[in-house]
Amino acid sequence: KLKNHFNLFVFSILFFNHIAPFPWKMVQMVRNQRLGDTIENKDYAELINYILENTGKDDIILIDPGLEHELLNFERLTKRSTLVTYKYISTTKKGISEWYRRLQFKGRVFNNAALNKEYPFRFIITKEKSRLMLEKYGHPIFEKNYTVYENTKQ
């Protein structure tokens, strides 16, 4: 009987010695992986990685309304606020009113209308460079398939 307990003890030590590092190795793999590496669209992955590495968690990012359908999971992936997305509407009266106000503000930003400081935003993402954005926000800080401008006049 003692021999069976000893064999079980030795087996347990060998088994846990082999298996114990496995969860820690998985954690290390996940921590060392850049989020954009899991996205199939390489241009989108580069944008996500750039935003994660060069913006703060409290920065508000405006996405061109024409790009919203491509970047629907942007906010979830980056943990950065996009102020408003047309597709995600609130269900309360107050929420719908705020959603509409934010859509109007975003429309003014992308149509070069005069802005009040109602919603301070830090970055703008568009598909390509435009003269309007160059005049208002200067040269892009990221320019691949997507273009990112920084609003330094908050």
Side-chain angles (χ1 to χ4, degrees), residues 10-132:
V10 169
F11 174 77
S12 299
I13 289 174
L14 292 174
F15 179 76
F16 287 114
N17 202 17
H18 177 70
I19 296 298
F22 182 72
W24 179 245
K25 286 179 182 175
M26 292 293 289
V27 168
Q28 287 175 323
M29 283 174 32
V30 170
R31 281 186 181 165
N32 294 334
Q33 185 178 29
R34 294 179 356 151
L35 182 63
D37 296 341
T38 62
I39 301 171
E40 289 183 23
N41 178 339
K42 293 301 175 197
D43 295 325
Y44 189 33
E46 287 181 24
L47 173 67
I48 295 295
N49 285 329
Y50 180 83
I51 294 296
L52 288 172
E53 294 166 4
N54 296 287
T55 65
K57 290 207 180 271
D58 295 332
D59 290 335
I60 296 175
I61 300 168
L62 296 183
I63 297 175
D64 188 338
L67 276 180
E68 282 185 351
H69 66 284
E70 288 181 42
L71 308 179
L72 279 178
N73 62 351
F74 178 86
E75 195 168 5
R76 182 178 52 82
L77 291 173
T78 61
K79 308 275 189 286
R80 307 299 193 267
S81 174
T82 58
L83 187 66
V84 66
T85 302
Y86 179 78
K87 190 168 185 154
Y88 301 133
I89 187 170
S90 179
T91 56
T92 64
K93 283 184 180 182
K94 186 177 179 183
I96 291 171
S97 175
E98 179 63 21
W99 172 81
Y100 183 74
R101 221 178 357 265
R102 289 177 179 211
L103 277 180
Q104 296 299 308
F105 175 81
K106 186 173 171 179
R108 288 192 305 272
V109 168
F110 286 97
N111 292 319
N112 202 23
L115 298 177
N116 55 14
K117 302 294 182 187
E118 186 176 8
Y119 301 106
F121 61 94
R122 179 94 188 271
F123 299 98
I124 298 173
I125 299 175
T126 64
K127 192 68 170 175
E128 64 268 331
K129 284 170 73 170
S130 73
R131 189 174 55 80
L132 173 131

